[in-house]
Amino acid sequence: MPLKYTVNQESKNNRARLGLIRTCRGTIETPVFMPVGTQATVKTMTPQELEELGAEIILSNTYHLYMRPGSDLIAEAGGLHDFMNWQRPILTDSGGFQVFSLGDLRKISEQGVQFRSHLDGSKHFISPEKSIQIQMDLGADIIMAFDECAPYPADYEYVRESSALTTRWAERSKKAHNRADQALFGIVQGGMYKDLRRQSISELLELDFPGYGIGGLSVGEPKEVMYEILEDLIPHMPADKPRYLMGVGSPDCLLEGVLRGVDMFDCVWPTRLARHGMVITKEGNMPIRNSSYARDFKPIEEDCPCYTCRNFSRAYIRHLLKANEVLGIRLTTIHNLAFLMYLMQDIRQAIANDNLNEFSREFLSRYNGKK
């Protein structure tokens, strides 16, 4: 078995749960946040630094690696793990979200998607079979079925047809997949329509994937709408398989997702935030480039044990960012990723203690500035 999922504890007061995902390359404690290494690197971070932060799995992007340097080159290098020197588990997305975000540069058909490269305008075509072949070349431990991510907003009929296409593509993805050391997940679509979401998971269950992604959320809709969709959908998802909310990573969404039964998350948000001079704190996000921190010699957070907070002041980090020094972005990235890693540890401990409701209320009140 390329993947085995075990539920170790379920909360008595909500849908949160503790679990373990066992893969050929290691075990992952859930709920888990996966740092994103789009181009086979988590921006500014070395694999050793990610391990020191406690990252058990990272995500890389099929579309971007297909475009550059090419999945054939990565296969020749021995696969993604050897290419980037990361020996713990990797998840690759199908490339669907990136292809569909190209807008006018792409054209969808039953067969797949024809698109022009965002790099040089060259023409390409990705089908479910092609996406799976790329991901088999990359050699990730968990891969995703090719799907269409419907835009927001979108009318009911468009989303209905899009979701049905995703189901057909999922079936083709499963038929194309033949690598025994990989686990292939299906992706639930259906936009913001609860009945279409339920229909999507019902159809995917017939294909019996070892895990299920929840796609097409956090695409511009209000967070409350996303929470409503999760509230309605997750009871229809199998209890013995991991549930992966794709592209979500802010602290409030992590907590709200876990409370509703989500096991896995990923997002570029913390590293992107870091590159824009914003750091995550328990009091909310801090714009550390602001002049108010020019003579602030405290760490980003007094009680944060990350390398950045143990060694450097807000004033120094602000100076580096204002001077366009690469170290500044590295330090903000280390802190932001560490913050989410520590938060997930605290969430898992709160589930174990069966007090996640109380922990969430206290954390969110402080984070949202309502102390």
Side-chain angles (χ1 to χ4, degrees):
M1 291 287 290
L3 181 145
K4 182 179 180 181
Y5 174 67
T6 306
V7 178
N8 291 337
Q9 183 175 333
E10 295 178 297
S11 175
K12 299 173 184 175
N13 304 308
N14 49 65
R15 295 199 183 104
R17 58 199 196 158
L18 291 175
L20 291 175
I21 298 174
R22 293 179 174 87
T23 74
C24 297
R25 290 186 179 263
T27 299
I28 304 151
E29 292 185 76
T30 64
V32 63
F33 173 79
M34 301 179 285
V36 175
T38 301
Q39 306 271 12
T41 175
V42 177
K43 293 191 187 302
T44 80
M45 301 288 290
T46 67
Q48 181 180 341
E49 288 168 335
L50 290 169
E51 289 182 13
E52 290 171 353
L53 289 181
E56 295 178 332
I57 178 173
I58 63 173
L59 180 145
S60 284
N61 182 262
T62 293
Y63 166 80
H64 286 286
L65 294 176
Y66 165 68
M67 299 305 301
R68 181 178 54 192
S71 56
D72 56 338
L73 184 150
I74 293 174
E76 185 180 339
L80 196 51
H81 294 88
D82 289 345
F83 188 58
M84 65 184 296
N85 193 30
W86 172 262
Q87 298 306 322
R88 295 183 179 185
I90 297 174
L91 183 150
T92 48
D93 61 12
S94 69
F97 178 79
Q98 285 71 30
V99 168
F100 298 118
S101 68
L102 293 173
D104 293 339
L105 294 175
R106 53 92 173 131
K107 182 179 180 181
I108 306 167
S109 68
E110 183 70 34
Q111 289 70 39
V113 184
Q114 181 175 299
F115 62 95
R116 289 188 178 274
S117 166
H118 71 289
L119 297 172
D120 59 13
S122 57
K123 286 186 178 181
H124 299 269
F125 180 80
I126 292 184
S127 64
E129 293 80 8
K130 177 76 169 180
S131 171
I132 295 301
Q133 185 58 59
I134 295 168
Q135 293 183 82
M136 288 194 293
D137 288 344
L138 296 175
D141 305 272
I142 302 173
I143 70 173
M144 306 301 295
F146 198 54
D147 66 319
E148 181 188 358
C149 180
Y152 175 83
D155 64 60
Y156 185 91
E157 188 57 29
Y158 178 93
V159 176
R160 186 187 68 79
E161 293 179 0
S162 171
S163 183
L165 180 63
T166 287
T167 297
R168 295 193 296 274
W169 283 359
E171 186 173 2
R172 288 168 56 188
S173 295
K174 185 168 185 180
K175 288 180 180 177
H177 183 243
N178 56 26
R179 184 162 173 166
D181 61 346
Q182 290 180 318
L184 171 64
F185 282 20
I187 301 179
V188 181
Q189 290 291 350
M192 308 305 148
Y193 302 100
K194 295 176 183 177
D195 61 327
L196 295 181
R197 288 278 175 180
R198 293 193 295 268
Q199 181 177 341
S200 177
I201 186 59
S202 176
E203 293 169 350
L204 292 174
L205 286 176
E206 295 182 14
L207 297 173
D208 193 26
F209 290 102
Y212 295 89
I214 304 169
L217 292 178
S218 192
V219 291
E221 79 282 4
K223 289 181 179 180
E224 292 72 21
V225 172
M226 177 174 70
Y227 302 152
E228 286 181 21
I229 294 294
L230 293 174
E231 195 81 37
D232 185 79
L233 171 65
I234 285 181
H236 299 277
M237 300 182 75
D240 61 344
K241 295 182 179 180
R243 308 154 180 160
Y244 164 30
L245 179 55
M246 305 176 73
V248 169
S250 62
D252 51 344
C253 290
L254 293 176
L255 273 164
E256 297 287 0
V258 169
L259 285 165
R260 289 162 174 80
V262 175
D263 305 302
M264 304 169 68
F265 305 83
D266 83 279
C267 197
V268 299
W269 181 79
T271 51
R272 179 177 291 165
L273 208 65
R275 296 195 301 278
H276 287 86
M278 190 78 73
V279 289
I280 315 168
T281 79
K282 293 175 183 175
E283 311 294 335
N285 301 331
M286 175 191 295
I288 201 167
R289 292 177 64 99
N290 285 8
S291 59
S292 57
Y293 300 107
R295 287 180 167 78
D296 188 337
F297 302 110
K298 297 189 295 294
I300 294 172
E301 283 204 298
E302 298 280 0
D303 59 349
C304 177
C306 82
Y307 172 79
T308 300
C309 290
R310 291 198 319 268
N311 293 283
F312 304 104
S313 69
R314 299 172 180 180
Y316 178 66
I317 296 167
R318 177 184 183 271
H319 156 67
L320 293 177
L321 293 172
K322 297 294 284 185
N324 293 320
E325 289 288 346
V326 173
L327 180 59
I329 298 174
R330 277 181 41 74
L331 294 179
T332 54
T333 301
I334 288 169
H335 171 79
N336 282 358
L337 289 175
F339 185 97
L340 295 187
M341 294 294 127
Y342 300 147
L343 174 60
M344 297 311 292
Q345 291 175 13
D346 291 342
I347 288 173
R348 291 193 294 268
Q349 188 60 55
I351 297 172
N353 297 338
D354 210 29
N355 66 348
L356 183 61
N357 285 349
E358 295 82 354
F359 174 85
S360 298
R361 280 195 296 269
E362 181 180 337
F363 179 91
L364 291 173
S365 176
R366 187 175 174 186
Y367 181 75
N368 293 324
K370 299 177 182 177
K371 292 184 295 179

